[in-house]
């Protein structure tokens, strides 16, 4: 990296939480919960044109046990909600959640018997992304917001939400 | 197809008592019938010698709540004849009190899932159906949401979920 030329065999002094947060925020492994058109924008965000890997979170994990960032992108119906809850419970701590788009955040235009009016009623959401669907830039902004949240956490905080 | 087509004429002669109305609109024939002998009617159309309607293109239902119709519900069969390239629509009226009709599953296999959908969303029971379970809504759902008197925003189904809670390690 060239860093060893400057530092040599020296020692760096830092706080543990700063080091851990630095590692966590730059290696977010998202669990995509894509159920609608927002998922298409999420795929665009991951692909080469927008390239979410520039921000260290390109390793999409389809197993919740290997992921620490859930991106709920799309409508959640009453039949899907138990699945979403189970997958969120399967994700190990620490974990964060992005509610992407109008439907996941508030139900959107679908104010009907079958659609959950915002997933934040049942799982803790850290960042909401407005839009229908949001542009890839918005999702990248959401991930950057998550990174800000991660950078302020303490190492002693082990549980999520209140 | 016109309502003067021989297959419609034959149908009228055979099931005159069952027919409520025969309508033609823009080359489409729709025959409204009573639901009691619907299976005989459908079988006759399927096995017609000259114009066999051998394909059930769609099976759905309509809720005519507070509209001027013979009964509240109509089960609609969209039939298609592969041989003659003709289509016909059969509407079988079903009342609210005795909300059931014979299953067409024995005539066309694809009626199985379509009837399950009608049962799920309209609550019309299909007699002699081999597997009448819900197909779209969750298994524990109560009510039939496509009925016109079902509230659009539901009866609280969308908010009856447990909240995610963190269990403290003991």
């Amino acid at each position: 990296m060239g860093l060893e030329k400057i530092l040599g065999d020296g020692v760096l002094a830092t706080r543990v939480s700063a080091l851990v947060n630095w590692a966590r925020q730059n290696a977010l492994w998202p669990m995509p919960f894509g159920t609608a058109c927002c998922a298409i924008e999420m795929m665009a965000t991951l692909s080469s044109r927008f390239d979410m890997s520039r921000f260290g979170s390109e390793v999409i994990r389809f197993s919740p046990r290997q992921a620490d960032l859930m991106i709920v992108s799309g409508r959640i119906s009453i039949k899907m909600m138990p699945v979403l809850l189970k997958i969120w419970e399967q994700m190990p701590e620490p974990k964060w959640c992005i509610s992407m788009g109008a439907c996941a955040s508030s139900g959107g235009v679908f104010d009907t018997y079958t659609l959950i009016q915002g997933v934040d009623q049942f799982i803790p959401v850290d960042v909401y992304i407005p839009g229908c669907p949001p542009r890839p830039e918005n999702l990248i902004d959401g991930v950057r917001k998550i990174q800000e949240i991660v950078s302020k956490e303490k190492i002693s905080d082990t549980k999520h939400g209140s | 197809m016109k309502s003067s087509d021989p297959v419609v004429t034959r149908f009228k002669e055979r099931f005159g008592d069952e027919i409520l109305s025969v309508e033609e609109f823009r080359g489409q024939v729709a025959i409204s019938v009573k639901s009691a002998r619907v299976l005989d009617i459908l079988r006759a159309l399927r096995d017609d010698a000259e114009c066999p309607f051998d394909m059930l293109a769609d099976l759905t239902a309509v809720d005519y709540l507070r509209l001027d119709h013979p009964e509240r519900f109509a089960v609609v069969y969209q039939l298609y004849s592969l041989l003659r390239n003709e289509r016909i629509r059969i509407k079988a009226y079903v009342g609210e009190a005795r909300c059931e009709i014979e299953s067409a599953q024995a005539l066309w296999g694809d009626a199985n899932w379509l009837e399950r959908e009608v049962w799920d969303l309209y609550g019309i029971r299909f007699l002699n159906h081999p597997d009448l379970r819900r197909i779209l809504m969750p298994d524990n759902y109560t009510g039939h949401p496509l009925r016109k008197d079902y509230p659009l925003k539901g009866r609280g189904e969308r908010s009856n979920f447990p909240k995610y809670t963190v269990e403290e390690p003991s």
Side-chain angles (χ1 to χ4, degrees), chain A residues 39-138:
Chain A
I40 305 291
E41 295 296 312
M42 182 172 61
M43 286 176 237
T45 316
L46 292 162
S47 59
S48 54
R49 184 172 174 130
F50 295 96
D51 198 10
M52 203 148 84
S53 65
R54 291 179 294 157
F55 306 95
S57 70
E58 81 280 19
V59 197
I60 285 283
R61 290 290 127 170
F62 293 97
S63 162
R65 295 177 202 286
Q66 299 173 342
D68 56 3
L69 169 66
M70 175 176 268
I71 305 176
V72 185
S73 47
R75 301 178 288 274
I76 301 298
S77 68
I78 55 173
K79 209 169 176 176
M80 190 55 100
M81 193 61 215
V83 181
L84 177 68
L85 264 175
K86 179 155 261 180
I87 287 177
W88 176 253
E89 281 166 1
Q90 283 173 345
M91 282 169 63
E93 299 278 355
K95 56 189 172 184
W96 298 273
C97 179
I98 291 180
S99 168
M100 180 183 178
C103 297
S105 305
S106 70
V109 296
F110 304 102
D111 192 5
T112 64
Y113 58 90
T114 186
L115 217 82
I116 297 298
Q117 302 295 300
V119 292
D120 56 349
Q121 294 175 59
F122 308 108
I123 62 172
V125 173
D126 295 287
V127 170
Y128 302 83
I129 304 175
C132 184
R135 295 260 322 154
E137 293 94 317
N138 296 49

Side-chain angles (χ1 to χ4, degrees), chain B residues 144-156:
Chain B
H144 304 285
L146 239 52
R147 287 187 172 200
K148 293 289 180 204
D149 51 3
Y150 198 85
L152 175 65
K153 295 180 184 181
R155 295 175 181 151

